[in-house]
Each structure stands twice: as C-alpha cells, then as structure tokens.
Amino acid sequence: MTAHPDRAQIELTNVLSALGNPLRLCIVRVLADGCEHTCGSIVDGVPKSNLTHHYRVLRDAGIIWQRVSGRETLQSLRREDLDARFPGLLDSLLAAARNETEDPFAAAGSASPRTQG
C-alpha cells in the first residue's frame, strides 16, 4: 500500500478532483460517520476492482486513511486533516451532497450504500 500524504501535502485541487466523482463522494458520505469501515461494507453493486481504484484515488488525495487489519483493509475519513487544511470545505461538500435532488447512487453507476444497522 502506498503511503498516505502528510497533512501539508494535501492539495485542494486533488481533493476537489477526487470528490468530483459521485461514487467517491458517496464513499466519503458514509465515512463521515467517523467510524472505520471495511472495503466491502460501504457500497453495494460495485466490483471490487473498481472500488480498489476509487479508494486509491481518495487515499492519494489525502481524503481517507487506509489501515490493514488482518485480512481486511479499513477505511476512515481524514476529517481532522481536511478541516485543518481547508476549514469548512468538507462540511460544505457533504451538506451539498445531502441536498442533491438527484439520487447520487444512480449517478455513481447504480451503487447504493449498505444499510447501516
């Protein structure tokens, strides 16, 4: 696994580019709960190889942490780092995504979030 960028290396253009994809924004919306999630527990209906690509883009942009735990890779949002670098940006993007009138999962290739119990 590639190293995560340091906080100071997180660039606004990379963050915005990564979150411009509906599926990646969907992933970040789920991770905004502050918990760690396994790769397969975030969205349904997306091939593992596609998800691996999207997680890599999010990690390389400095948006998520990835941590290997046994046979699983856990994802979590780098909220503290993003808030320090770009105050209010993440909250604004998440609020805008919640207010979208179009189904964001349909735009992401029919992916839907897993039901949170």
Side-chain angles (χ1 to χ4, degrees):
M1 184 177 306
T2 305
H4 299 84
D6 292 330
R7 178 186 288 183
Q9 295 173 315
I10 299 173
E11 297 181 12
L12 181 61
T13 54
N14 293 339
V15 171
L16 294 176
S17 177
L19 294 179
N21 177 280
L23 180 57
R24 291 193 286 265
L25 186 57
C26 169
I27 291 167
V28 170
R29 287 178 61 193
V30 172
L31 295 178
D33 69 1
C35 298
E36 287 186 313
H37 294 267
T38 60
C39 292
S41 70
I42 298 175
V43 291
D44 283 326
V46 179
K48 184 178 179 180
S49 59
N50 288 3
L51 284 175
T52 299
H53 164 74
H54 291 293
Y55 292 134
R56 181 184 51 79
V57 170
L58 291 168
R59 182 195 65 225
D60 291 349
I63 297 169
I64 66 170
W65 291 114
Q66 289 185 309
R67 179 177 72 85
V68 176
S69 177
R71 294 173 42 146
E72 299 281 357
T73 300
L74 301 173
Q75 326 296 322
S76 60
L77 186 62
R78 292 181 67 173
R79 179 176 280 282
E80 184 177 311
D81 290 334
L82 291 168
D83 287 346
R85 290 282 292 148
F86 315 110
L89 176 67
L90 188 57
D91 289 332
S92 295
L93 292 171
L94 291 171
R98 277 192 300 273
N99 293 331
E100 286 284 315
T101 56
E102 178 184 333
D103 180 1
F105 307 111
S110 299
S112 62
R114 294 207 183 234
T115 304
Q116 302 294 317

